[in-house]
Amino acid sequence: MRVLMIGAGGVGDAAARIAAERSFFEAWVVADHDVSRAERTVAAAAGRGGDGARFSAAQVDASDARAVAALAREVRATHVFNAVDPRFVVSIFEGARAAGADYLDMAMSLSRRHPERPYSEVGVKLGDEQLAQAGEWEADGRLALVGIGVEPGLSDVFARYAADHLFSEIDELGTRDGANLVIRDDEGNEVFAPGFSMWTIIEECLNPPVVWERERAVGADGQYDVEAGFFTLPPFSEPEVFEFPGGIGPVECVHVEHEEVLLMPRWVDAKKVTFKYGLGEEMIGILRVLHTLGLDRTDPVTVKGVSVSPRDVVAAVLPDPLTIGPRMEGKTCAGLWVTGTGKDGRPRRTYLYHVVDNADTMREYESQCVVWQTAVNPVVALELLASGTWSGTGVLGPEAFDAVPFLDLLAAPRPEGYGSPWGLEDR
């Protein structure tokens, strides 16, 4: 396997550090628009031992599908791993296919509002542009494994595991994520600094969140159409307090637009699919203000003769998520709340989860926990693809694959596995 990873930000840097300990690949090329960032990541990965010669750096414009394809061909990539924000999904996705490589990402193509479509406020849903090309990828004999970060990603694997091993009927697949993370300044005071891309936070939190219900997917004629089951709610809808494990405790969670809701119904049978995230009162307040002031806009405005996107400015003035690890304290939890009927025929309510402590990831990988938790999952998936344990063609979500090999490899102690156990609570 020869991997071309595009993006040397926090998640890409963490993924390279994790991969450096594994032997499943022949070459790992780190590409970024700023080659110095790629070189920094290569140096960090090479410094983790093993065969550092497997890593190399390159420059690429992720917005240019032809440039992505040309680089993939040049480095003889078998797999293109997208580690940049979702603005660049389509160009990297199409560039990988043009080069004849398989593809992985951790976030899917962006949604767009279209008032003439009957699907509430959103006309083009997350991932629609990629899923529409499933036939072409299948005809090419190539695989695009989409949404294989932590969220989406690990919760989707949990959904497959719950359906196969825990439940005979599922009422709701509810992704529930929360944390007790604190970031401090040099004087020890708490400060505001998002754990991952602020650009992405604005995108997914201010768009109308999507929910899926099976009863909506069945028409008056009795015909089933998965697309008819999707609908939207206002941002920050239906707050609920969810109790997170690992010492995190109760966190208020709200509906957020996210890919799990768009993926799970396609491969897992459930009556309802939701995603709620523990944003916290401060973050919700900040997002509301940004929206009120128009600072969430992506279309450029002219400021003193310079054309600039307001959202890009907001993201640029906040600390880089790559740099905040040493000032971060606490844990983050990603998981799936599943309700329904167990294999024994009795009612069951189960939370499958993965908790990561920032102290552990900083000590072991010099990566803050939010980006590390996102990065480990595509690396595990690449290893399963390299061994042939996972295989397929077309555009597929993590739910399309057997969950057990993934969860076993993730939890197995290093060096056999990745040393990051997951948990399960019946409540």
Side-chain angles (χ1 to χ4, degrees), residues 2-4 26-27 29-31 35 56-61 65-80 95-96 98-101:
R2 298 179 63 88
V3 179
L4 168 60
E26 173 189 349
V29 180
V30 181
V35 73
S56 59
Q59 194 278 334
V60 72
D61 178 358
R66 289 178 295 182
V68 171
L71 179 58
R73 294 189 191 100
E74 178 185 337
V75 301
R76 297 182 290 120
T78 60
H79 293 73
V80 173

Side-chain angles (χ1 to χ4, degrees), residues 250-270:
V251 178
E252 185 177 81
C253 298
V254 294
H255 280 290
V256 169
E257 180 192 48
H258 232 254
E259 289 90 343
E260 293 89 335
V261 178
L262 286 310
L263 289 172
M264 289 180 185
R266 303 177 191 278
W267 288 282
V268 180
D269 188 20

Side-chain angles (χ1 to χ4, degrees), residues 47-117:
R48 294 194 60 80
D51 184 5
R54 294 183 298 164
F55 289 87
S56 59
Q59 194 278 334
V60 72
D61 178 358
S63 68
D64 186 342
R66 289 178 295 182
V68 171
L71 179 58
R73 294 189 191 100
E74 178 185 337
V75 301
R76 297 182 290 120
T78 60
H79 293 73
V80 173
F81 169 22
N82 180 352
V84 296
D85 74 55
R87 284 176 289 177
F88 305 103
V89 162
V90 173
S91 54
I92 299 174
F93 177 78
E94 294 179 348
R97 180 174 169 240
D102 286 357
Y103 169 89
L104 297 88
D105 64 29
M106 297 171 284
M108 297 177 68
S109 57
L110 295 174
S111 62
R112 296 195 299 276
R113 302 185 189 190
H114 194 310
E116 296 178 2
R117 292 281 293 273

Side-chain angles (χ1 to χ4, degrees), residues 21-32:
E21 299 179 346
R22 314 303 296 179
S23 61
F24 65 85
F25 60 93
E26 173 189 349
W28 190 288
V29 180
V30 181
D32 196 276

Side-chain angles (χ1 to χ4, degrees), residues 31 69 247 372:
W372 188 93

Side-chain angles (χ1 to χ4, degrees), residues 24 28 33 42 55 67 87 108 178 194 288-289 297 311 334 348 357 364 368:
F24 65 85
W28 190 288
H33 71 96
V42 166
F55 289 87
R87 284 176 289 177
M108 297 177 68
R288 289 190 189 279
V289 169
R297 293 169 51 190
R311 192 188 300 185
R348 183 166 190 171
D357 191 322
E364 297 293 330
Q368 54 105 327

Side-chain angles (χ1 to χ4, degrees), residues 355-404:
V355 173
V356 178
D357 191 322
N358 189 68
D360 293 338
T361 59
M362 286 301 299
R363 181 182 62 254
E364 297 293 330
Y365 292 93
E366 298 180 74
S367 296
Q368 54 105 327
C369 60
V370 177
V371 299
W372 188 93
Q373 189 183 42
T374 304
V376 68
N377 297 287
V379 181
V380 174
L382 282 164
E383 184 158 347
L384 293 176
L385 292 170
S387 68
T389 304
W390 277 10
S391 63
T393 59
V395 179
L396 303 177
E399 304 89 344
F401 302 88
D402 185 2
V404 172

